[in-house]
Amino acid sequence: MTVTIPLLSLRNVSRSFGTFKAVTDVSEDFGPEELNCIIGPNGAGKSTLLNMICGTLAVSSGSIHFGDESIGGMSGDKIARLGIARKFQVPSVFPSLSVVENFHVSASNALSANELDEILSTVNLSVDRDTTASELPHGKKQWLEIGMALSMQPKVLLLDEPTAGLSVDETRATSEFLRTLRGKVTVVVIEHDMAFVRDLKAHTMVLHHGKVIASGSFEDIENNDLVRDVYLGR
Ligand code: ADP
Ligand code: MG
């Protein structure tokens, strides 16, 4: 019998700011090489949770395991070296470098020509490979940044609202290419665009006031009465 071991595992993870509880008792497994999505209204605690996974924020209590390693108290650098890459909500690229140069600078190990081509084609930037980053439109900057995270050849890719400010077509293209990462890398994506989440067909967890109120397939989430009340029905 094959046993599936969770790659990224959260147990009773909480985070307070003073007396305010931003994240309370989140327990969730993000399966290896799966697409996972975290949704929830503004202020639900999504970014706080992602910040704890990548080590930018310490957990107040609870544990985070990556395989056998407890990463709950590790520095961001150390977590990145374990293979957890993260794209922030606001794009940050090297503006004066070309797309390809941005990938090379981000890469933890030198990229082969094949690896580079694969990343370029994954994030739809093959034709823009020599374009200076500052000249890319906003949507392509978001893709460039996802490509930079992929250049680290991570085991886990964390994305905070990658479709912020994207057009409908760009949003659809983003869910299409993220789906191609299934089976290659564990993806955890924060999102509030419902059309995008529906397209993604990911394992979805709903946060509300810092607590998980539902988790499962998008269909499970969509038909959950509590989720409809607090989020989808708004
Ligand atoms: P989301 O990403 O779901 O919109 P956040 O995780 O950014 O939500 O924030 C969750 C809650 O925690 C919000 O009420 C926010 O104001 C609060 N919060 C986040 N970061 C801090 C901080 N550094 N200090 C105080 N409160 C914070
Ligand atoms: Mg956020």
Side-chain angles (χ1 to χ4, degrees):
M1 194 177 87
T2 330
V3 179
T4 308
I5 299 165
L7 188 58
L8 188 60
S9 183
L10 277 52
R11 288 290 168 273
N12 302 104
V13 172
S14 300
R15 170 74 204 203
S16 302
F17 297 106
T19 54
F20 175 73
K21 289 186 147 190
V23 171
T24 307
D25 274 340
V26 171
S27 295
E28 191 76 18
D29 292 332
F30 299 112
E33 300 170 4
E34 273 285 339
L35 270 183
N36 304 277
C37 194
I38 302 174
I39 63 171
N42 244 336
K46 304 180 298 295
S47 295
T48 301
L49 192 61
L50 215 67
N51 286 336
M52 290 191 281
I53 298 172
C54 71
T56 343
L57 263 183
V59 300
S60 296
S61 60
S63 67
I64 304 176
H65 278 82
F66 181 46
D68 291 337
E69 294 220 55
S70 172
I71 62 168
M74 271 186 197
S75 72
D77 281 353
K78 210 164 170 197
I79 291 173
R81 279 198 297 276
L82 288 176
I84 300 181
R86 187 258 167 90
K87 182 207 169 305
F88 288 85
Q89 203 163 344
V90 179
S92 64
V93 301
F94 298 101
S96 62
L97 299 183
S98 73
V99 166
V100 164
E101 286 165 344
N102 267 280
F103 289 169
H104 282 308
V105 171
S106 313
S108 21
N109 297 299
L111 294 170
S112 70
N114 277 345
E115 288 162 346
L116 189 62
D117 287 345
E118 196 186 337
I119 297 167
L120 283 164
S121 107
T122 300
V123 298
N124 297 327
L125 289 176
S126 299
V127 296
D128 301 290
R129 57 184 295 145
D130 298 317
T131 306
T132 304
S134 62
E135 281 163 20
L136 292 172
H138 171 79
K140 287 185 170 180
K141 273 194 192 124
Q142 295 274 31
W143 294 349
L144 170 60
E145 223 197 333
I146 296 175
M148 289 164 72
L150 287 172
S151 298
M152 296 168 65
Q153 300 177 299
K155 299 188 181 93
V156 178
L157 177 66
L158 307 174
L159 304 171
D160 197 346
E161 304 207 12
T163 68
L166 298 198
S167 70
V168 171
D169 284 349
E170 288 168 333
T171 298
R172 192 174 305 122
T174 306
S175 62
E176 266 169 32
F177 79 63
L178 289 180
R179 287 205 305 269
T180 70
L181 296 175
R182 183 175 269 140
K184 296 180 184 167
V185 52
T186 303
V187 180
V188 181
V189 51
I190 289 179
E191 196 45 66
H192 63 237
D193 182 314
M194 276 306 138
F196 175 86
V197 178
R198 186 179 285 113
D199 264 10
L200 206 56
K201 297 179 177 51
H203 172 84
T204 304
M205 162 184 140
V206 187
L207 266 187
H208 183 55
H209 292 323
K211 293 182 182 156
V212 180
I213 58 165
S215 106
S217 67
F218 184 76
E219 287 70 29
D220 295 339
I221 299 302
E222 201 174 29
N223 294 318
N224 181 300
D225 287 340
L226 190 54
V227 177
R228 285 179 179 225
D229 284 352
V230 304
Y231 190 48
L232 295 171
R234 283 191 312 164

